[in-house]
Amino acid sequence: EAAVTQSPRSKVAVTGGKVTLSCHQTNNHDYMYWYRQDTGHGLRLIHYSYVADSTEKGDIPDGYKASRPSQENFSLILELASLSQTAVYFCASSVTANSDYTFGSGTRLLVI
Amino acid sequence: QQKVQQSPESLIVPEGAMTSLNCTFSDSASQYFAWYRQHSGKAPKALMSIFSNGEKEEGRFTIHLNKASLHFSLHIRDSQPSDSALYLCAVRYQGGRALIFGTGTTVSVSP
């Protein structure tokens, strides 16, 4: 069964610290995405990738970096975590830009 | 930056009634339109998608798309308490490689 696994499931980070969120998919999908969701709201696109070793900026990339070292793995890096980055982060994958996304279970990040 | 707007923000529907959700977008050249459902504390899951103008039905769910009016909608027939969730519409704009999601509509189906 197609799967997207995110780690950690939750994290508490200190303001100014570095945070790395990881995503691993076994779907053999080329496309991977990072979205953030603030309480009760929709998803906002941070970064995405459609091929290994290449990433693209989404709508809200400021304060975030992304890394796609292989087809299976896609990381989101917060170099200097800030309070405003407290949110739930979802990773997703898809076969093409026009196909259904498979989402991971999310990472709940609290920055204090 | 392209935007996707949803209405209403929330609604309460009696069990067995029709639920109607709306989504507007800003470019008639957009190429892919989808609805996702997210139960509380869970990941979003794809419901239905459509590429061209018209209607598509799958079980209790129907999607309508009118590119000229920049509008698409989701209708849920015979709504059930298990349909209570956050509904997210999404659009892939021409030239884009990722979905842009709306802000969501929270649906509560009352028994």
Side-chain angles (χ1 to χ4, degrees):
Chain A
E1 182 177 316
V4 177
T5 304
Q6 293 184 233
S7 61
R9 290 296 304 272
S10 65
K11 183 173 181 65
V12 179
V14 177
T15 304
K18 182 176 180 179
V19 177
T20 300
L21 308 183
S22 299
C23 181
H24 177 80
Q25 54 110 350
T26 58
N27 307 328
N28 199 32
H29 288 172
D30 286 330
Y31 285 75
M32 295 188 75
Y33 315 86
W34 278 107
Y35 288 87
R36 70 174 275 174
Q37 185 173 43
D38 297 282
T39 304
H41 288 80
L43 301 165
R44 291 188 289 168
L45 179 66
I46 307 171
H47 286 285
Y48 65 98
S49 168
Y50 52 88
V51 65
D53 293 323
S54 179
T55 64
E56 305 291 333
K57 293 181 179 179
D59 292 334
I60 55 163
D62 292 346
Y64 303 94
K65 288 173 56 178
S67 174
R68 181 97 182 266
S70 64
Q71 186 195 44
E72 298 81 16
N73 296 292
F74 191 35
S75 298
L76 186 68
I77 302 134
L78 291 65
E79 294 277 4
L80 295 169
S82 66
L83 296 175
S84 64
Q85 292 177 313
T86 292
V88 178
Y89 291 83
F90 285 100
C91 175
S93 72
S94 67
V95 176
T96 69
N98 286 343
S99 49
D100 290 349
Y101 287 10
T102 300
F103 280 88
S105 299
T107 294
R108 189 172 296 273
L109 175 65
L110 173 63
V111 182
I112 59 173
Chain B
Q1 181 176 332
Q2 303 281 17
K3 289 209 179 287
V4 178
Q5 305 280 355
Q6 288 188 243
S7 64
E9 282 192 19
S10 63
L11 75 161
I12 300 172
V13 180
E15 184 175 356
M18 175 80 80
T19 298
S20 295
L21 308 175
N22 300 295
C23 190
T24 59
F25 51 100
S26 54
D27 183 0
S28 61
S30 300
Q31 299 179 332
Y32 177 69
F33 307 84
W35 283 96
Y36 283 73
R37 181 165 74 178
Q38 184 180 23
H39 286 106
S40 182
K42 302 293 187 182
K45 286 192 71 174
L47 268 179
M48 291 181 69
S49 58
I50 193 168
F51 288 90
S52 53
N53 280 337
E55 178 180 303
K56 180 178 177 181
E57 182 178 334
E58 292 180 0
R60 296 186 295 114
F61 299 88
T62 303
I63 199 172
H64 290 270
L65 171 64
N66 184 327
K67 287 189 179 184
S69 62
L70 304 177
H71 177 264
F72 71 112
S73 59
L74 177 71
H75 303 275
I76 308 172
R77 179 171 44 84
D78 188 24
S79 299
Q80 300 297 308
S82 59
D83 294 325
S84 298
L86 178 68
Y87 288 78
L88 299 162
C89 65
V91 176
R92 186 177 75 78
Y93 285 98
Q94 187 181 38
R97 290 178 182 262
L99 289 175
I100 305 302
F101 284 84
T103 50
T105 295
T106 300
V107 173
S108 297
V109 180
S110 57

